[in-house]
């Protein structure tokens, strides 16, 4: 580990897990949404949400580095941290290859850790993926209003590698709002319902699309880029198969 990087604050749940698993004890602050791995995060300071972190509390922790993401965190908050003299590393993740590169940049490049075994396991797991026959789908991430995965998303890339063609992948927006009637009439073979950021369940989501098979999937395995990537192909493939 780099001797100047002993105190780290993470503003991204998946990066929190990546650091906590790779170097327990390095994290001094995490967001309220950082849930994994629970034992390693016990006692670590909570500094608010990903969109509304407590900048003063972060600065008072005297971190050597704050890890952020251009999508999950707001630029004004990151600017305020820099103005307070805190070094901030901002990641960008729009697909699997970029996620693997960014994890390497954070863990090995910025923190000086040995490349973790789980990162190699994730690369191998995804390299072995053989997609099933293509199925057309849409992927809601919120309701009231309904929002779906659009263009250029990490989750969409993972699903494409598993044979799921997102019919909104060519949309001008990354997370467009789409009326439920339009979704139901999209001519899809499947609706993919993750349990985060909106917690879709068997009782909350599938009923909006009667007659359409629904795959209830783990949001952590679909949207997090960290140690869960090693198990994600098997976990997601099983959920897709069970949907019929």
């Amino acid at each position: 580990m780099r001797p100047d990087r002993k105190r780290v604050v993470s503003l991204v749940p998946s990066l929190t897990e990546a650091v906590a698993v790779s170097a327990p004890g390095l994290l001094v602050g995490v967001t309220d949404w950082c849930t994994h791995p629970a034992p390693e995060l016990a006692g670590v300071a909570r500094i608010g949400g990903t969109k509304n972190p407590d900048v003063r509390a972060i600065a008072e922790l005297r971190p050597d580095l704050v890890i952020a993401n251009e999508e999950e965190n707001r630029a004004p908050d990151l600017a305020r941290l820099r103005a307070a003299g805190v070094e901030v590393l901002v990641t960008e993740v729009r697909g699997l290859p970029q996620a693997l590169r960014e994890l390497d940049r954070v863990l090995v490049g910025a923190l000086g850790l040995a490349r973790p075994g789980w990162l190699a396991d994730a690369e191998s797991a995804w390299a072995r993926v053989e997609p099933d026959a293509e199925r057309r789908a849409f992927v809601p991430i919120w309701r009231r209003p309904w929002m779906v995965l659009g263009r250029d998303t990490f989750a969409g890339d993972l699903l494409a590698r598993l044979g799921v063609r997102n019919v909104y992948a060519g949309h001008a927006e990354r997370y467009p709002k789409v009326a439920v009637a339009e979704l139901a009439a999209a001519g899809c073979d499947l609706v993919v319902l993750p349990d985060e950021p909106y917690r879709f369940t068997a009782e909350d989501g599938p009923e909006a699309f009667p007659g359409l098979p629904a795959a209830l999937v783990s949001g952590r395995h679909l949207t997090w880029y960290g140690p869960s990537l090693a198990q994600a192909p098997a976990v997601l493939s099983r959920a897709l198969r069970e949907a019929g």
Side-chain angles (χ1 to χ4, degrees):
M1 183 179 69
R2 286 181 52 169
D4 59 332
R5 299 285 172 78
K6 296 180 180 179
R7 298 175 63 81
V8 176
V9 170
S10 173
L11 303 182
V12 185
S14 52
L15 294 179
T16 294
E17 183 178 21
V19 175
V21 169
S22 305
L26 201 60
L27 291 164
V28 296
V30 298
T31 76
D32 297 339
W33 300 104
C34 295
T35 56
H36 291 78
E40 285 79 357
L41 297 180
V44 176
R46 297 287 172 166
I47 46 74
T50 57
K51 304 295 185 187
N52 58 343
D54 187 333
V55 172
R56 177 178 295 181
I58 295 171
E60 289 176 350
L61 289 171
R62 296 178 290 104
D64 302 305
L65 183 68
V66 170
I67 305 169
N69 176 264
E70 53 87 29
E71 179 178 59
E72 294 200 46
N73 308 120
R74 302 187 314 147
D77 294 323
L78 304 184
R80 290 174 60 203
L81 285 168
R82 291 190 178 100
V86 177
E87 183 177 354
V88 180
L89 184 155
V90 182
T91 59
E92 178 183 280
V93 175
R94 303 293 178 90
L96 178 62
Q98 190 177 29
L100 297 171
R101 291 194 301 270
E102 289 289 68
L103 286 164
D104 194 274
R105 181 167 75 101
V106 170
L107 299 171
V108 180
L111 300 181
L113 304 175
R115 198 168 194 268
W118 62 259
L119 189 51
D121 292 342
E123 289 177 323
S124 297
W126 282 98
R128 295 192 301 269
V129 165
E130 296 184 2
D132 294 331
E134 183 179 275
R135 286 185 285 179
R136 289 165 46 87
F138 56 90
V139 189
I141 57 168
W142 203 257
R143 68 183 302 177
R144 307 181 191 93
W146 287 92
M147 298 174 67
V148 300
L149 293 183
R151 64 170 180 83
D152 199 22
T153 67
F154 172 72
D157 183 40
L158 294 194
L159 289 172
R161 293 169 188 273
L162 298 172
V164 176
R165 178 189 168 197
N166 175 15
V167 297
Y168 289 98
H171 198 282
E173 299 177 26
R174 297 186 66 210
Y175 303 102
K177 297 177 183 178
V178 184
V180 67
E182 179 182 332
L183 294 174
C188 289
D189 308 304
L190 184 71
V191 53
V192 179
L193 297 169
D195 61 10
E196 64 174 83
Y198 185 92
R199 187 171 181 80
F200 288 106
T201 67
E203 292 74 35
D204 185 354
E207 81 291 343
F209 311 103
L212 187 63
L216 295 165
V217 304
S218 162
R220 176 167 164 259
H221 290 93
L222 180 62
T223 64
W224 288 35
Y225 35 91
S228 59
L229 275 174
Q231 295 79 41
V235 171
L236 296 174
S237 293
R238 182 168 57 251
L240 293 169
R241 287 194 301 269
E242 290 174 352

